[in-house]
Amino acid sequence: RKEVEQDPGPFNVPEGATVAFNCTYSNSASQSFFWYRQDCRKEPKLLMSVYSSGNEDGRFTAQLNRASQYISLLIRDSKLSDSATYLCVVRPSTGGFKTIFGAGTRLFVKA
Amino acid sequence: DAGVIQSPRHEVTEMGQEVTLRCKPISGHNSLFWYRQTMMRGLELLIYFNNNVPIDDSGMPEDRFSAKMPNASFSTLKIQPSEPRDSAVYFCASSPGPPSYEQYFGPGTRLTVT
């Protein structure tokens, strides 16, 4: 089983739609969680950190479920510019600064 | 403030040649990471440094790969000799460390070995 697993997609949604991605992780002691966004032929960029209480940034909401070992990302009112690959990232507590990246979920938002 | 700087942005070389990739982390960040990304394997951590000291190099594929961080503002990743299967995008990232473990990536070096 991979340490971090994501549905690769692609998710094809119309503008204005709400879309959700899930990510599961295998190490129950993991401490830090993040969502990154990567555009085609660009570097990954931090989208948001995921806290135990969940957090929201505009149209983006991230949730953590420690009991089930998954994190989620919800995008409301999708824009064409949201088209990208979304990477789930987990920092195992025993790994120091080391983080594990998921393979990513492709999102296409169409007009 | 400048982000992570990598050079060169593109490198094309022939099999057997030495390749050196360079990275300047964000000032004040004390952790530096080297990643490799391919379509087949995704984003793989090769090595990371904390306070210029290599902490985990378990992701380095083989002895042909080596990395150094002689000071807080510079790191290199060297491949010698290079092989076609080394073709990938190599990213450098830096992090301020705890309590924030967020990483900030450079634009990457696209390496092609023919």
Side-chain angles (χ1 to χ4, degrees), chain A residues 37-43 83-85 106 108, chain B residues 37 39 91 110:
Chain A
R37 170 198 169 121
Q38 187 172 24
D39 293 288
C40 187
R41 301 179 74 84
K42 298 287 189 180
E43 72 273 22
S83 298
T85 296
R106 294 289 302 275
F108 294 101
Chain B
Q37 187 173 41
M39 287 293 292
F91 290 107
R110 186 170 297 274

Side-chain angles (χ1 to χ4, degrees), chain B residues 25-93:
Chain B
I26 293 171
S27 177
H29 284 193
N30 57 19
S31 296
L32 182 141
F33 305 78
W34 282 102
Y35 291 89
R36 176 173 69 176
Q37 187 173 41
T38 61
M39 287 293 292
M40 291 297 293
R41 301 174 67 89
L43 196 63
E44 302 174 280
L45 177 65
L46 301 177
I47 184 171
Y48 80 91
F49 297 81
N50 188 43
N51 293 324
N52 312 337
V53 176
I55 302 300
D56 185 343
D57 66 354
S58 59
M60 296 286 261
E62 49 198 273
D63 292 345
R64 297 184 299 106
F65 286 69
S66 62
K68 294 182 180 180
M69 191 166 186
N71 57 62
S73 59
F74 183 67
S75 176
T76 60
L77 178 68
K78 183 178 293 186
I79 308 172
Q80 180 185 21
S82 58
E83 296 183 3
R85 60 191 166 126
D86 301 330
S87 297
V89 180
Y90 290 81
F91 290 107
C92 174

Side-chain angles (χ1 to χ4, degrees), chain A residues 36 38 43 46 49 95 97 99, chain B residues 35 37 48 98 101-103 106:
Chain A
Y36 280 72
Q38 187 172 24
E43 72 273 22
L46 178 68
S49 302
F97 294 86
T99 51
Chain B
Y35 291 89
Q37 187 173 41
Y48 80 91
Y101 290 91
E102 299 167 349
Q103 295 180 28

Side-chain angles (χ1 to χ4, degrees), chain A residues 59-78:
Chain A
R59 298 181 294 109
F60 298 83
T61 301
Q63 296 283 348
L64 167 64
N65 185 318
R66 285 191 180 274
S68 301
Q69 294 180 212
Y70 77 83
I71 65 173
S72 63
L73 178 67
L74 182 76
I75 306 175
R76 291 181 298 277
D77 189 22
S78 299

Side-chain angles (χ1 to χ4, degrees), chain A residues 8-23:
Chain A
F11 286 63
N12 293 288
V13 302
E15 267 188 302
T18 295
V19 61
F21 309 135
N22 282 339
C23 164

